[in-house]
Every structure is written in C-alpha cells, then in structure tokens.
Amino acid sequence: MKLYNTLTRQVEEIESVEDKKIKMFVCGPTVYDLSHIGHAKTYIQMDVLSRTLRAQNFDVFYLQNITDIDDKIILRAKDKNVSWKDINSKFEDEYYKDMKALNNTSVDRYEKATENIDNIKRQVQVLLDKNFAYKIENDGIYFEIAKFKDYGKLSKRTELVENDAQSRIDQSDKKRGWNDFCLWKFSKPGEPVWEADFGKGRPGWHIEDTAISEKVFGPQYDIHGGAVDLIFPHHEAEITQMEAASGKSPFVRYWVHSGFLNIDGQRMGKSKGNFVTIREVLKKGYEPMSVRLLMLQSHYRSSLDFSWDILDAAQNSYRKIVSWADLRHQGFSSKDLSNDYQTYIEAFEKSMSSDLKTPEALAILNKMIKKIDEENAQPDSSAIGKAVELLDSYLGLRLLDSSDISSEQKTIIKKREEARKAKNWAESDRLREELTREGIAVRDTDYGSAWSRI
C-alpha cells in the first residue's frame, strides 16, 4: 500500500510502527453549523483511505476529534442568544447524521475537545515547563515558534499564503513572534471557562488534536489526514507542539491531505459564503451515494470543481453501477466472463493500493459494466457478486444494500418471457407495466431478461 506523504513530498510504501497495525487520526469538524460538501469531499476520501487500508489487511484504528469549544461556536451562540453547549450539541448531532448518510462509517472513535480538558492542560503545562511556551497577561499561553528549530518542515515554509486557514491565526500585539500560536485562552466575561494552574480559560484550537491523539495513540503514530488548507498553520502547529512536548520525532509518519472542492472557480468555504451544505444537496433529492461517487471521481489530492450538472452525471452513473450490481441476484452464468473479472479486480486493487487512484479504479469498474453490453457477454452472477463485495469493501458505495426482488416479481418476469416467446406482445407489455409500477425495469438481452430498479 502506497501513499503520498506531504512530509516528504513522495509516494511511499506504508510501514506501520506495529506490524500491520495503523493508528490514523483525521481532523474533525468545528460544530457550529451544518457541514458543506467541501467537508464531504475530505471525509469521504479519508473514509475510503481507511477502508482501503483494511482491505489491504491492515488493522486500522481511525480516530477523529470533534471541536466543540471554539471562537466560532461562542460567536454563533451569542448571535442566536443560546448556550454554546446548545450550539455544539445540535451541530455535532447533525454532523453524525450527514456522515451516516454518506456512509462515512469507518471511524472507530470520536473524541470531543471538552472531554479532554485535563489532557490539554497537562500538555500546556509540559510546554511551559520546557520553556517552549510563555504567558501574556489577560490574553493566554502562547507557543514560541523561535524555540522550535524544525518549524515549517511539513509545509516547507513559515509564512501564510492565500488558501491557508488564516482565520485560525491567533492575533495579539504582545506576541513575541508573529506566528506564535495560542495554546490556552484566558477567559473573558460570559465565555466558557475551566480552572488551570496557569490561569482560568479554555483551549486554543491546535492543542486539542495533539492532546487527544497523545491520549489515545501516544506521542507518535502512523497517519494524520485532513484537508490541504490545514497544512499551515494547523498541522504545522501540531507537529511543533507535540514534538516539543515529547522530544520525539516524527510525531506522525505519514501526512495525507485532500484537495479543495471549488465552486465558481473558488474554494468552497463558510468564510467565503460560497458553500452548499450536505443537507441541502440531499433535500434536493440526490442520493447520498451519488455524492460519494462524485467525490471519488477525482483523486483525493486533486481539487474538484462542483456544479449541479456533474452531480446529475454522478447520480446517473451511480444508478448504472447499482443496476450492474443487481445482476448478482439474477442467476446468470458465464465461466469466460468470470475469468475476465478476475483481471479487472486485480487492476482495481492495484489502482487503489497505489495512492488511492479512485478515478482509475472507477474507470476499471466501468469497463466491467460495459463489457456485458459492448461484447454482448453473458454476465456471471457469482462473479459479479464477488466483485461487488470486494469493490464495496474499498469504496463503500452501499452496493450490497440492494436486496433481491421477490419470488412473485420473478414469476412475473418469467411469465413475460413466455409471452414474448409466444409473440403475445399485448400480454408482454401488460406485465412490463405491472413491473414498472413496482419499481422494476426489465431489459431484454440475448441471454435472458435482466431486471433493475427504477
């Protein structure tokens, strides 16, 4: 299994610290609003990474944090005149609903920032004790970048550029260095507060991730994932504070970053106001797995330009894939096609294990589907069943969710075939219409009637 490592700028063979065991952390949401489809892209592609590692026989533990205390949450609560807990509780629940709808179900454990305050305080105290952090009165505890010589090794820079998460830069005219970042924010009137020996307050943004991952994984682990805008300053800050605290390097062996989702030529984001929520897409009647398929049609490291037209196309493509997957229920047999499918499967697995080349893998899937029509080849239900099971273990497109049709419906299809053989076209049409009313389409082929759901 090979992945592109942002830290080394190379595609590398995955070698876990413990043989075949992978500890994987992905930055989760700040729960102050509904997730948009830019978030969907990242979390779908990270879910597929986890599934692919498991399909390649790695024992994966997938951890994700939930940022449930943050400036954005506090501001939204003030704007709505409700408790900050009401905001984070509501949108945490909504996040889980969206992830379940998109079949992002491979996360083993979620950890909230507010459930890790003691771990956060402990890490801040270590950085103070080691003289990597300093205190600004009436402000907070800051990490002093100048004290850490390797700052910038992930991003290969120390300055901001256009698409960085710039809203997360902590502003203070009393900082020793412009890019020093806040570990602990001292409390202000009306804000949530926790007691600490170094001053009452609440955690900064970067510190929660390392406090959580250290608690669950220890000071070093295998894979850290997230969107590309988090490389600087967020992930750079994570490396800085964890390696400074532990004295161990590397903090993470492989850094994996997903490309942006763009709309109208610009990165989709709430700060830009040019976003479409996952919920909005689903309310328009799009199938969740069509959204998932759309995100897999581009390589995870590439950007994707969103439009409703390409989502329409993805929905049509998904329905064709489901119709092919349903052939596993239909009892066709072809030894020759079964052999061809094994070749396709090997090519598919090679693409997925080579830096998650999902566009290439989907092209192979489409070849499997088209072979039946283009060569008038008889499908092999058993081979298709095995292929569907394996492909879905990688892609998570819920192809195994569709059940067989009822015995009564199969009887109608058989009667329709008999009517066609007898050239009783009126009866054949009547039976087709009966099936259509039950949501089943029938396609006549040289090898028999193939059904699919409408």
Side-chain angles (χ1 to χ4, degrees):
M1 176 72 191
K2 295 181 179 180
L3 278 176
Y4 180 84
N5 187 354
T6 307
L7 185 65
T8 62
R9 301 295 195 270
Q10 294 179 347
V11 175
E12 299 177 1
E13 189 77 33
I14 295 295
E15 296 179 359
S16 56
V17 175
E18 300 178 56
D19 186 41
K20 300 300 282 188
K21 290 186 177 181
I22 293 288
K23 297 172 182 177
M24 174 175 162
F25 178 90
V26 172
C27 291
T30 300
V31 284
Y32 73 102
D33 204 345
L34 292 172
S35 299
H36 59 62
I37 56 171
H39 299 131
K41 180 179 185 294
T42 294
Y43 294 126
I44 287 169
Q45 290 170 332
M46 293 299 154
D47 183 80
V48 169
L49 169 58
S50 176
R51 290 173 184 269
T52 298
L53 287 165
R54 287 170 176 151
Q56 293 287 317
N57 298 315
F58 286 96
D59 180 6
V60 179
F61 190 97
Y62 181 0
L63 173 67
Q64 196 175 111
N65 71 307
I66 300 290
T67 301
D68 60 343
I69 179 63
D70 182 80
D71 291 344
K72 294 180 179 180
I73 294 170
I74 294 169
L75 289 172
R76 180 60 57 87
K78 288 180 179 178
D79 182 57
K80 298 293 185 181
N81 195 29
V82 297
S83 164
W84 63 277
K85 291 183 179 180
D86 290 339
I87 293 294
N88 67 28
S89 178
K90 174 184 176 180
F91 289 110
E92 181 186 353
D93 289 344
E94 298 302 327
Y95 172 73
Y96 294 142
K97 289 176 185 176
D98 286 341
M99 293 303 101
K100 184 177 180 180
L102 296 173
N103 206 25
N104 292 337
T105 57
S106 61
V107 176
D108 293 289
R109 183 166 162 183
Y110 291 99
E111 285 277 346
K112 301 178 188 179
T114 58
E115 293 176 345
N116 285 271
I117 297 299
D118 287 345
N119 300 307
I120 290 168
K121 290 190 293 184
R122 190 177 302 115
Q123 204 167 88
V124 173
Q125 188 62 59
V126 168
L127 292 170
L128 282 167
D129 293 344
K130 289 191 170 187
N131 202 32
F132 282 105
Y134 60 94
K135 181 177 182 178
I136 300 177
E137 292 294 338
N138 302 316
D139 189 331
I141 308 295
Y142 281 78
F143 190 100
E144 187 171 2
I145 294 298
K147 297 283 183 69
F148 188 78
K149 63 181 179 62
D150 285 340
Y151 185 74
K153 66 180 178 180
L154 178 66
S155 60
K156 306 298 187 282
R157 56 187 171 87
T158 58
E159 74 289 342
L160 286 167
V161 297
E162 181 182 357
N163 282 321
D164 289 333
Q166 300 191 37
S167 64
R168 300 301 187 119
I169 299 293
D170 299 298
Q171 303 298 331
S172 174
D173 56 9
K174 296 180 180 179
K175 292 195 299 184
R176 295 176 184 175
W178 77 267
N179 52 6
D180 290 356
F181 56 88
C182 193
L183 301 168
W184 186 260
K185 299 186 178 186
F186 293 149
S187 59
K188 297 177 183 178
E191 291 187 350
V193 59
W194 285 267
E195 296 284 344
D197 291 342
F198 39 77
K200 296 179 180 180
R202 57 188 173 87
W205 182 41
H206 311 301
I207 194 73
E208 68 175 91
D209 288 21
T210 52
I212 288 169
S213 64
E214 184 182 30
K215 180 184 79 170
V216 180
F217 293 153
Q220 295 176 293
Y221 60 95
D222 302 294
I223 296 175
H224 193 317
V228 69
D229 62 321
L230 298 181
I231 295 174
F232 191 94
H234 183 46
H235 290 164
E236 203 71 73
E238 283 191 56
I239 291 174
T240 299
Q241 65 198 11
M242 191 66 253
E243 292 188 2
S246 70
K248 296 181 179 181
S249 179
F251 164 43
V252 176
R253 300 182 74 181
Y254 307 97
W255 290 84
V256 183
H257 292 96
S258 61
F260 292 128
L261 187 73
N262 298 325
I263 187 167
D264 296 328
Q266 288 190 317
R267 174 169 67 92
M268 184 177 293
K270 290 176 181 174
S271 62
K272 295 176 180 291
N274 65 337
F275 65 93
V276 179
T277 66
I278 297 168
R279 198 64 51 82
E280 180 182 349
V281 169
L282 300 185
K283 283 184 177 179
K284 284 181 176 285
Y286 289 96
E287 297 171 48
M289 292 304 93
S290 299
V291 178
R292 189 175 179 92
L293 181 63
L294 172 62
M295 302 310 172
L296 299 181
Q297 287 174 342
S298 69
H299 189 258
Y300 76 93
R301 287 193 283 119
S302 300
S303 61
L304 173 64
D305 293 314
F306 174 79
S307 71
W308 295 107
D309 287 342
I310 65 167
L311 185 52
D312 285 336
Q315 177 129 305
N316 290 333
S317 295
Y318 179 68
R319 288 171 178 168
K320 289 178 182 177
I321 294 172
V322 171
S323 293
W324 165 78
D326 279 342
L327 290 171
R328 73 190 190 279
H329 298 302
Q330 301 184 38
F332 300 122
S333 177
S334 169
K335 184 177 180 180
D336 291 338
L337 189 55
S338 177
N339 292 336
D340 289 340
Y341 267 28
Q342 184 57 38
T343 301
Y344 286 134
I345 287 297
E346 290 172 2
F348 174 91
E349 291 191 290
K350 183 178 179 180
S351 295
M352 292 300 294
S353 63
S354 181
D355 198 30
L356 292 185
K357 293 179 181 175
T358 54
E360 187 176 285
L362 288 171
I364 293 166
L365 171 56
N366 286 329
K367 286 181 182 178
M368 296 171 74
I369 295 170
K370 289 179 180 178
K371 186 175 181 64
I372 295 171
D373 292 331
E374 290 179 351
E375 300 183 18
N376 197 29
Q378 181 172 327
D380 184 284
S381 294
S382 176
I384 291 173
K386 291 176 182 177
V388 168
E389 186 173 353
L390 185 137
L391 268 58
D392 224 31
S393 71
Y394 282 85
L395 302 178
L397 288 170
R398 288 184 176 147
L399 299 179
L400 292 169
D401 284 5
S402 61
S403 59
D404 200 353
I405 59 176
S406 69
S407 57
E408 291 81 4
Q409 291 165 332
K410 287 182 178 180
T411 298
I412 296 172
I413 291 174
K414 186 176 181 180
K415 287 181 178 179
R416 182 179 171 276
E417 285 182 328
E418 292 170 352
R420 282 177 55 78
K421 287 178 183 177
K423 297 185 179 181
N424 186 348
W425 309 122
E427 179 65 3
S428 172
D429 290 344
R430 186 190 70 77
L431 292 169
R432 178 193 286 273
E433 289 172 4
E434 184 176 342
L435 289 165
T436 299
R437 286 193 297 271
E438 296 188 22
I440 298 169
V442 179
R443 180 165 56 94
D444 298 309
T445 73
D446 291 344
Y447 48 82
S449 297
W451 60 261
S452 59
R453 289 180 173 79
I454 300 173

